[in-house]
Amino acid sequence: MNKKIVGIIVLILIAAIFAYRIGRRPQSSDTSVASPSNESAQTTTPAPTSESNPAPTKQIADPISQAASRVTKKSFGTYVTPQNSPVSPEKFTGFHTGIDFETFDTEKDADVEIKTICAGKLVQKARASGYGGYAIQACTINGQAVTVIYGHLRQSSIAPTVGAVLNAGDHLAVLGTGYSTETDGERKHLHLSIHLGSSINIAGYVQTKNELSGWLDPKSPLGI
Ligand SMILES: [Zn+2]
C-alpha cells in the first residue's frame, strides 16, 4: 500500500513538473520573439526619413536676386496709361500681364543675372518692339502648361539654345542696358509674364480686365 501511494505521489509530481514546464514555454518564446521585432522596428524607422531629406527637387526659383524687394512699380493687373504710370516716360496703355522687377542704382552698369523660374524647354529667343531682347520658356506650373516670358534681356546674352531643356534656377541671360535698343528704350528691369497654355503670346498689356484670365500672376508660384 505504501509503495502504491509513493508511486502515485511520484507520478503526480512528475505530471506537475511537466505541466509547469509546458506552461512556461509560451511565455519565454513570446519574449524572445517580441524583443527582436522591437529592435528591428527601431533600426529601420530612421533610415527612410534620412534618405528622403537631402534631395528635394526645386520646382520654382526666383528669376533674379532679392526678387521680392524689387516688385515696386508694376504688379500683375496694374492698369497704366502714359498719364498715370508709375514710370516715366510711359508708352503703354493697358492692364499689365506680368510683374516688373526693378534694378537698384548700383546695378546701372552691372550685369544683372536672370535665371529660369521653372523647368522646361526654351522655345524662343528674339527681339521685339516693347521688349528689346526676350526669351520664352515652356513649363508646367501647378499641373498647368504655361509659357514664361522674360522681357528686356540683352539678346546676345541669352545663353541656352532654343530647344534646350532647362531646370529651375538655370542661368538664362543678363538684363539689357537701360534706355537702349537692348530694352527697346525702357528702363533696366525684368518684365516677367506667365501665359496660360502652350501658345506663345508676348503681350505685356491687355486692353480689358477679362483678358487677364489668360495669364497667371507670377507672384503666386514664386511665393513673393
Ligand atoms: Zn512689365
Side-chain angles (χ1 to χ4, degrees):
M1 287 293 280
N2 282 344
K3 279 186 182 176
K4 275 188 180 174
I5 290 166
V6 170
I8 288 166
I9 289 168
V10 168
L11 280 174
I12 288 169
L13 280 172
I14 290 169
I17 291 165
F18 192 67
Y20 177 72
R21 285 193 171 181
I22 287 176
R24 276 183 59 97
R25 245 174 232 165
Q27 288 176 350
S28 61
S29 67
D30 273 354
T31 52
S32 67
V33 167
S35 58
S37 70
N38 282 344
E39 280 168 22
S40 67
Q42 282 168 357
T43 51
T44 54
T45 305
T49 53
S50 63
E51 277 172 20
S52 60
N53 280 339
T57 310
K58 211 177 200 179
Q59 300 292 314
I60 298 289
D62 285 345
I64 190 169
S65 66
Q66 303 172 71
S69 63
R70 295 177 186 267
V71 186
T72 56
K73 292 183 175 170
K74 295 184 189 176
S75 293
F76 178 76
T78 299
Y79 184 75
V80 302
T81 68
Q83 287 74 40
N84 82 351
S85 178
V87 304
S88 178
E90 177 65 77
K91 55 187 173 189
F92 301 107
T93 296
F95 296 91
H96 197 220
T97 61
I99 57 178
D100 285 351
F101 296 88
E102 305 302 321
T103 50
F104 303 118
D105 291 343
T106 52
E107 294 171 326
K108 187 171 170 288
D109 300 313
D111 282 350
V112 177
E113 184 184 27
I114 303 303
K115 297 181 175 184
T116 51
I117 66 162
C118 47
K121 196 179 281 189
L122 190 77
V123 293
Q124 195 176 96
K125 55 177 179 179
R127 202 189 169 283
S129 172
Y131 283 121
Y134 71 92
I136 299 180
Q137 185 189 16
C139 291
T140 299
I141 293 179
N142 298 335
Q144 163 115 50
V146 299
T147 55
V148 181
I149 298 99
Y150 305 84
H152 311 300
L153 307 178
R154 179 176 296 156
Q155 190 184 356
S156 62
S157 76
I158 303 171
T161 55
V162 170
V165 179
L166 308 168
N167 290 312
D170 279 359
H171 172 75
L172 180 65
V174 298
L175 286 179
T177 300
Y179 310 106
S180 76
T181 53
E182 293 180 353
T183 57
D184 198 30
E186 293 290 312
R187 72 198 186 285
K188 186 174 185 174
H189 74 284
L190 172 70
H191 171 97
L192 182 79
S193 284
I194 302 177
H195 186 240
L196 298 173
S198 51
S199 68
I200 290 175
N201 183 339
I202 64 168
Y205 297 85
V206 289
Q207 295 310 305
T208 64
K209 208 167 188 175
N210 281 346
E211 292 172 79
L212 287 173
S213 63
W215 304 79
L216 180 67
D217 183 350
K219 272 192 174 179
S220 160
L222 289 174
I224 60 173

